[in-house]
Amino acid sequence: MTAPAAWGQQTPPPDQTALPAEDAGTNVASYKPDFFTEFRPNTAFDMVTRIPGFQFDGGSFARGFAGTAGNVLIDGERPPSRSDSLSSVLARVPSTAVERIDVIRGGAEGIDMQGKAIIANVIRKPDAGLTGAITASASINTRGNGGIGAGIQAQDQRDGRLLEGAINANTSNGSGENFRQRIAPSGEVILDAVSHNESDYQNISATGAYESALLGGKVRVNGQARLQQNSYHNEETQTIPGGTQLDQGDNEYANGEVGLRYTRDIGGYG
């Protein structure tokens, strides 16, 4: 049997340091790192996906900037790279380098909402210092096929300057068997075949960026390069009517991007 609560007893208040501070006048709710402690985030992306009532939108890869905007900004600006996904950019920002995340509903001064009703703005610490991470993964299936991957990223932010870079590589292979049979209306088997296929895939990508104050504004230079290779081999042996069919190929795809952005407040002109 549960004893009734004593008269005058009050429920202890929640930990106010873990709750977002909201400015009703600007429709901005600020989430500080303490709010995310229980989730043990490693990156800014981990933090964004834990914001209550906020659904991450990475945008699209349509040509040009139009129609590609996601719903997360970094220091009030969109990441300048079009081919580098927004989730990848956020994943390169360590959680220890985040000062707070502002969730803006309806709009706020100095923020381009990109046509979105809700925007998350990741505010980085001005002097987070040198941070980085190394990742590795491996997988294998019952056929003995699998893949391995590795990545390294580093970021140095101090004295109003930012230098960041990342390299990721992965490789995988696969194999399988297929059976084909073709039967005529008369019931005669006119094709009976078995095929064996193998495939290999490799991918390596590198990104880098430098950001600094310049002539009263801010300049950012970024670059990205990617190389993908894949090959396949399929050999079909036909017992009926007899013979062998071979299909194989190799594909290679490479792309890169270099970007330059300069921003400066000109509100005092005119």
Side-chain angles (χ1 to χ4, degrees):
M1 183 174 179
T2 304
W7 288 104
Q9 181 178 354
Q10 296 181 351
T11 303
D15 181 4
Q16 297 298 322
T17 62
L19 297 176
E22 184 166 356
D23 186 341
T26 58
N27 301 318
V28 177
S30 296
Y31 293 82
K32 295 185 176 181
D34 290 345
F35 178 85
F36 304 95
T37 301
E38 63 177 303
F39 305 117
R40 301 181 182 275
N42 294 316
T43 68
F45 181 71
D46 298 333
M47 300 171 77
V48 166
T49 57
R50 289 293 187 174
I51 297 175
F54 182 81
Q55 184 173 359
F56 174 75
D57 176 8
S60 66
F61 287 96
R63 187 172 182 84
F65 276 134
T68 67
N71 61 354
V72 179
L73 304 177
I74 298 178
D75 294 331
E77 298 180 355
R78 297 176 58 190
S81 176
R82 291 173 290 174
S83 57
D84 197 10
S85 69
L86 179 57
S87 59
S88 296
V89 175
L90 290 170
R92 291 199 298 269
V93 179
S95 58
T96 54
V98 177
E99 181 173 298
R100 70 179 191 276
I101 299 178
D102 291 342
V103 176
I104 305 163
R105 292 176 169 82
E109 184 178 356
I111 297 295
D112 182 0
M113 297 295 291
Q114 310 291 333
K116 310 286 186 180
I118 302 176
I119 286 286
N121 185 21
V122 178
I123 308 298
R124 295 174 296 186
K125 296 178 181 178
D127 291 291
L130 179 63
T131 57
I134 298 176
T135 59
S137 63
S139 64
I140 190 170
N141 60 24
T142 56
R143 298 184 63 90
N145 307 128
I148 56 175
I152 182 171
Q153 62 185 49
Q155 183 180 71
D156 188 16
Q157 187 172 2
R158 66 186 73 200
D159 301 326
R161 295 187 298 271
L162 170 68
L163 178 64
E164 63 178 3
I167 298 177
N168 293 278
N170 58 77
T171 180
S172 62
N173 59 64
S175 64
E177 292 183 349
N178 296 294
F179 302 90
R180 281 205 307 155
Q181 191 175 69
R182 186 178 300 161
I183 302 176
S186 63
E188 178 187 5
V189 178
I190 58 177
L191 174 65
D192 190 46
V194 59
S195 64
H196 178 76
N197 61 78
E198 296 181 349
S199 63
D200 291 284
Y201 172 81
Q202 296 88 34
N203 173 75
I204 183 169
S205 63
T207 60
Y210 176 75
E211 187 176 292
S212 178
L214 179 67
L215 302 176
K218 182 170 64 175
V219 63
R220 180 181 174 93
V221 181
N222 66 279
Q224 182 198 45
R226 182 186 302 272
L227 175 64
Q228 294 180 348
Q229 294 178 318
N230 62 75
S231 61
Y232 64 93
H233 177 95
N234 184 78
E235 184 174 347
E236 182 182 78
T237 302
Q238 301 176 355
T239 55
I240 301 175
T244 301
Q245 180 174 310
L246 181 64
D247 183 20
Q248 61 183 8
D250 294 282
N251 296 311
E252 183 175 297
Y253 173 74
N255 75 326
E257 174 185 311
V258 175
L260 173 66
R261 172 186 287 180
Y262 177 74
T263 56
R264 180 177 178 179
D265 184 6
I266 58 174
Y269 291 85

